Amino acid sequence: MADTIYISQLVSGKDPVEALRALAGQFPGEIVFSTSFGWEDQVISHMIFANHIPIKVFTLETGRLFPETYYVWNRTMEIYGQPIHAYYPDNNRLEHMVNAKGPNSFYESVDNRKECCAIRKIEPLHRALAGNQCWITGIRAEQSPNREDMSNVEWDEGNQLIKFHPVFNFSLDDVKAYIKQYNIPYNTLHDKGFPSIGCLPCTRAVQPGEDFRAGRWWWEDQSKKECGLHAAVTLNDLKE
């Protein structure tokens, strides 16, 4: 297990770019960043690519993304000239689920939705993280109540690695200002009331006064607004 106290000290007092450089030096060839091409992730991709920090960038290609997301993905590769590695769901698992339950089973129950997330996101994530020691994410403290008590450095028990959130203390205004300052491409759905963008069937715009994540899995109870990517989920938890 990597020492979270040591890593916390390593990044303490550093701006996000300096912290990412320090971590890339600490974990050469064993550090990755997961992007879903939202505001925060585009900021971090810019930090990595524009400053030539040796961190592998990957995304989870669920097969159900918005057209706008694919545009940002392609545009980001064009601008920075760097690869963004795609991880797809396991063919057999996905085919079994869709054949048995149909393409939109996630609307029918929380268990079905979690099964879909497990197949399309969590299992590919485990493959993407395998062999690495540090995972960079775009989590911010104000995104949801259960993230406010987190730290910018964590030990991920399920994946057995360190997690670092470089924009953890950024406000949404900070993120937008950074994007404007560096002319970073971003998903235009954000301008249409989508603060959090996932799969197309599971994401809608947020109405005035609604919670930040109200647009994700809106048909479910408000307390279940996570897909499991940032929970201590192991491969044994995935449905066969």
Side-chain angles (χ1 to χ4, degrees), residues 46-227:
H46 174 84
M47 292 175 177
I48 293 170
F49 291 147
N51 294 284
H52 308 288
I53 302 174
I55 295 174
K56 178 181 175 180
V57 178
F58 74 87
T59 192
L60 304 178
E61 167 47 304
T62 66
R64 304 299 295 264
L65 303 179
F66 284 87
E68 291 88 346
T69 301
Y70 290 111
Y71 174 82
V72 176
W73 179 350
N74 199 67
R75 185 70 182 128
T76 302
M77 293 180 66
E78 288 177 346
I79 289 174
Y80 299 104
Q82 296 294 321
I84 296 173
H85 302 268
Y87 286 81
Y88 288 76
D90 176 83
N91 234 27
N92 292 329
R93 288 179 181 270
L94 184 58
E95 288 175 2
H96 177 78
M97 178 185 70
V98 174
N99 288 342
K101 300 181 178 180
N104 292 329
S105 60
F106 42 83
Y107 289 131
E108 297 171 5
S109 71
V110 173
D111 285 343
N112 278 358
R113 195 270 293 169
K114 288 184 175 180
E115 178 185 25
C116 188
C117 286
I119 291 171
R120 294 183 186 274
K121 295 182 179 182
I122 298 174
E123 189 277 331
L125 175 70
H126 279 284
R127 281 190 275 118
L129 296 179
N132 290 287
Q133 294 192 57
C134 186
W135 173 18
I136 308 301
T137 88
I139 285 177
R140 291 188 298 109
E142 69 175 22
Q143 286 173 329
S144 65
N146 63 326
R147 294 179 178 180
E148 291 176 351
D149 295 330
M150 294 167 55
S151 167
N152 69 336
V153 174
E154 301 179 281
W155 173 250
D156 185 319
E157 184 64 28
N159 293 296
Q160 293 289 296
L161 43 58
I162 288 283
K163 288 170 72 174
F164 176 59
H165 319 303
V167 297
F168 186 73
N169 294 314
F170 276 40
S171 68
L172 183 55
D173 285 342
D174 292 334
V175 172
K176 291 179 180 179
Y178 198 100
I179 286 172
K180 183 176 181 180
Q181 179 181 356
Y182 293 100
N183 195 28
I184 299 170
Y186 70 93
N187 197 320
T188 56
L189 289 174
H190 288 311
D191 296 330
K192 301 175 182 178
F194 289 75
S196 176
I197 304 168
C199 292
L200 189 156
C202 301
T203 313
R204 66 161 172 79
V206 171
Q207 303 305 312
E210 284 189 313
D211 178 76
F212 178 87
R213 290 178 70 80
R216 303 295 296 277
W217 313 295
W218 65 90
W219 63 92
E220 293 181 3
D221 181 84
Q222 190 69 18
S223 65
K224 301 181 176 70
K225 296 293 184 177
E226 296 288 353
C227 63

